[in-house]
Amino acid sequence: MGMGGASIALVAVVALIIFGPKKLPELGKAAGNTLREFKNATKGLADDDDDDTNDKKKNEQ
C-alpha cells in the first residue's frame, strides 16, 4: 500500500499547519543533515566490513 499524490499533499498541508512556513525549511535541512550522517555512517561500517573480509582472505593465503 503506497502513498499516492493526495496522501503526500495531505501530509504536506498538515506539516505546514503544525510547524508553519518559517520552521519547515529548518526542519527539512535538519532532516537532510541527519540522513547524510546516517548514510556516511553506514558506508563507513560497510567499508570496515570489507576491510575485515580482505584481511581474513590475506591471512588465509
Side-chain angles (χ1 to χ4, degrees):
M1 182 175 192
M3 289 183 59
S7 298
I8 294 173
L10 180 63
V11 169
V13 169
V14 170
L16 185 62
I17 291 170
I18 292 174
F19 297 112
K22 291 184 179 180
K23 191 74 171 172
L24 280 180
E26 294 173 19
L27 292 173
K29 184 177 179 180
N33 287 337
T34 301
L35 289 173
R36 186 178 308 115
E37 288 178 20
F38 180 75
K39 182 180 175 183
N40 289 338
T42 56
K43 184 180 178 188
L45 290 174
D47 289 345
D48 288 346
D49 287 345
D50 290 343
D51 290 344
D52 291 343
T53 303
N54 290 336
D55 289 343
K56 286 180 184 177
K57 286 181 182 178
K58 287 179 184 177
N59 289 339
E60 290 174 358
Q61 292 178 354

